[in-house]
Amino acid sequence: MSNNAESKRAFAIITTLFFLWGFITVLVDSLIPRLKDVFELSYFQAGLVQFAFFLAYFIFSIPAGSILARIGYKKGIILGLLTMAFGCLLFYPASEYRMFNVFLLGYFILAAGITVLQVAANPYVSLLGSEQGASSRLNLAQAFNSLGTTIAPIIGALFLLSETVKTSTEINALSNQEKESYLTAEAATVQTPFLTIAAIIGVLAVVFMIVKLPTIMEKSPKGGYSKLFKNKLALMGVLGIFLYVGAEVAIGSYLVNYFQSMRLTPIILENETMMAIANTITNVFNKDLSVSDPKSLLGIFVIFYWGGAMIGRFIGAYLTKLITPGKVLGVFSFLAILMIFTSMNTLGLLSMWTILSVGLFNSIMFPTIFTLTLDGLGDLKPQASGLLCTAIVGGAIIPPLYGFLTDQFHFKLALLLIVLCYAYILYFGWIKSKVSVRIV
């Protein structure tokens, strides 16, 4: 095991990965409303973007664990970063030639790289020091993940949703010169941020090639997966991650469209406090707030969904030291359900702020479900981590299903699907509070 100073340096470097995949994952959410307009998609079709993204977790999580066992964490991280960069580069031809299938392929490859990072970074952080401090380190690293998810909606609103997208009929009505000019500008709106991200990822890959990281690798017991599949509580935790990620991503992906369906833009424009909040956020990035496109204005407020998760994670990390984590998980799940029901049965700013507040109660769910599932598994933890990362595929299944229900019954009624997800998490927290020891 490495010395304390080396472990701290390695932890500081690894946290950049948590920030990076949090930022990119939520940036995908910001692009969905734009792709919906560009390709004139239904809500179900728009949900396929998240399906392509999170399907990679299902396909690559367990193979990623096998790869890491052979090449080590450091080379695995570099492989993941290079894969992510390639996925980002595919956004250039996808936007240049307006090919939705290439967008989906780019998302899939990007997510494959993130999957490798997830499988490597979570257990690596937990092993980077004493076992007693593992949960604390993972919560701190996840806080940086939340920082990335908080910043991403602002970038998405200012750079991806700031231009009005024309319909195919409107484009065909343009002259050849106007059409070429419009399509070039539209493509650049997507190309610029993702090419920039690809460059940053490339630089980060070079940094990891140069930097020295402690070598940490544990041998996995034979027959580990077969043992896990006989462990009811472990499987309950895997399902909990599946439903949590699906619910969180479904809400985040459709927030802008949900707000549009309630015609919130004129309400916000007439509210001095709301406009002051929006202008304050945009001024931080030296960007003028465009009110010509409602998606840009509405997208600004998505920061509170993901920012709430960051704040709640610090609060939850403290609470789980005082109260059984299962109980905290149950209370947060109940409050999330309460906020969703309130949003379903109200309109205007109350409906908006209550659905945004769900992010606050989402905060502790992933790390708490993750650590509660690993609790008591001993040397089966590496395999359990692989299964838990595989369960992130919930982000591929729940959002399209939510989009389909929205197409059929409208947003508010479709939210009942999300309520069911949180109801199960509440049940899991209650069960674990009866059998688990306190996480410290």
Side-chain angles (χ1 to χ4, degrees):
M1 180 65 67
S2 61
N3 59 45
N4 191 48
E6 187 179 28
S7 294
K8 287 182 177 179
R9 185 186 67 173
F11 176 80
I13 295 171
I14 293 296
T15 54
T16 62
L17 302 180
F18 282 82
F19 173 88
L20 183 66
W21 80 60
F23 177 85
I24 293 177
T25 300
V26 175
L27 196 64
V28 170
D29 296 346
S30 299
L31 191 54
I32 288 176
R34 185 175 191 89
L35 293 179
K36 183 179 183 301
D37 288 346
V38 169
F39 296 102
E40 300 176 17
L41 307 172
S42 68
Y43 287 115
F44 170 73
Q45 290 171 318
L48 291 177
V49 173
Q50 294 291 21
F51 178 82
F53 191 87
F54 286 94
L55 180 64
Y57 282 96
F58 179 76
I59 294 176
F60 292 110
S61 287
I62 293 177
S66 300
I67 293 172
L68 290 171
R70 288 196 298 269
I71 67 176
Y73 284 110
K74 180 177 177 178
K75 290 181 180 179
I77 288 170
I78 295 169
L79 174 63
L81 288 170
L82 294 177
T83 303
M84 289 171 63
F86 179 64
C88 287
L89 290 175
L90 284 179
F91 282 69
Y92 186 92
S95 55
E96 183 75 18
Y97 301 105
R98 293 170 66 89
M99 295 184 294
F100 183 59
N101 289 338
V102 179
F103 269 113
L104 294 181
L105 178 62
Y107 278 125
F108 181 76
I109 293 175
L110 175 61
I114 293 177
T115 301
V116 176
L117 295 188
Q118 283 262 33
V119 175
N122 282 304
Y124 189 80
V125 166
S126 68
L127 294 170
L128 210 62
S130 67
E131 185 176 352
Q132 291 77 13
S135 181
S136 175
R137 289 190 299 276
L138 187 56
N139 272 294
L140 181 57
Q142 289 286 349
F144 282 91
N145 179 271
S146 295
L147 177 62
T149 63
T150 302
I151 295 174
I154 306 174
I155 302 299
L158 298 181
F159 295 95
L160 296 178
L161 301 177
S162 59
E163 303 292 336
T164 301
V165 176
K166 297 182 183 297
T167 65
S168 57
T169 303
E170 291 172 329
I171 294 173
N172 291 331
L174 298 174
S175 66
N176 289 334
Q177 185 175 356
E178 289 174 332
K179 180 189 264 187
E180 183 178 350
S181 176
Y182 169 75
L183 293 177
T184 300
E186 180 191 80
T189 301
V190 175
Q191 290 168 345
T192 301
F194 280 95
L195 286 178
T196 302
I197 292 171
I200 293 172
I201 293 174
V203 171
L204 195 56
V206 173
V207 170
F208 273 92
M209 291 177 188
I210 298 172
V211 73
K212 181 180 179 182
L213 293 178
T215 301
I216 302 173
M217 185 64 69
E218 294 186 345
K219 289 186 177 181
S220 300
K222 294 181 179 180
Y225 285 111
S226 62
K227 293 178 182 178
L228 279 175
F229 282 115
K230 297 176 183 178
N231 188 314
K232 180 181 177 181
L233 289 176
L235 294 180
M236 287 181 66
V238 171
L239 179 58
I241 289 290
F242 177 92
L243 295 175
Y244 161 69
V245 174
E248 179 194 49
V249 172
I251 293 175
S253 298
Y254 290 104
L255 276 176
V256 172
N257 297 119
Y258 181 45
F259 296 157
Q260 281 184 302
S261 74
M262 292 190 289
R263 298 177 175 84
L264 287 178
T265 302
I267 297 175
I268 294 174
L269 290 173
E270 294 172 5
N271 189 298
E272 292 183 4
T273 302
M274 297 292 286
M275 288 304 297
I277 292 172
N279 281 306
T280 299
I281 294 172
T282 54
N283 287 339
V284 172
F285 290 84
N286 272 330
K287 187 87 171 175
D288 292 329
L289 178 62
S290 170
V291 297
S292 59
D293 185 354
K295 292 191 299 299
S296 178
L297 176 61
L298 296 173
I300 289 292
F301 292 94
V302 178
I303 183 179
F304 292 100
Y305 179 70
W306 299 107
M310 179 177 63
I311 295 170
R313 189 154 283 165
F314 287 108
I315 297 172
Y318 174 74
L319 288 177
T320 52
K321 291 182 179 180
L322 304 177
I323 307 170
T324 302
K327 291 181 179 178
V328 178
L329 180 63
V331 170
F332 274 48
S333 302
F334 172 78
L335 292 173
I337 292 171
L338 181 62
M339 292 301 101
I340 294 172
F341 271 126
T342 303
S343 183
M344 289 172 62
N345 292 283
T346 57
L347 295 171
L349 296 181
L350 177 59
S351 182
M352 174 183 178
W353 284 113
T354 48
I355 197 68
L356 288 174
S357 70
V358 175
L360 177 67
F361 304 112
N362 278 339
S363 55
I364 67 153
M365 292 189 186
F366 185 91
T368 303
I369 295 171
F370 204 97
T371 51
L372 283 174
T373 304
L374 296 181
D375 185 26
L377 290 181
D379 56 6
L380 291 177
K381 288 181 179 179
Q383 287 93 336
S385 295
L387 285 181
L388 287 166
C389 287
T390 302
I392 294 175
V393 73
I397 306 301
I398 304 296
L401 181 56
Y402 177 69
F404 173 78
L405 293 175
T406 297
D407 288 328
Q408 304 301 314
F409 306 109
H410 197 264
F411 280 104
K412 290 186 179 292
L413 194 57
L415 281 170
L416 286 174
L417 171 66
I418 310 303
V419 169
L420 291 176
C421 294
Y422 287 118
Y424 174 83
I425 295 169
L426 190 160
Y427 173 70
F428 175 73
W430 180 78
I431 290 293
K432 290 297 290 186
S433 71
K434 302 297 182 182
V435 299
S436 296
V437 297
R438 182 168 58 91
I439 297 175
V440 295

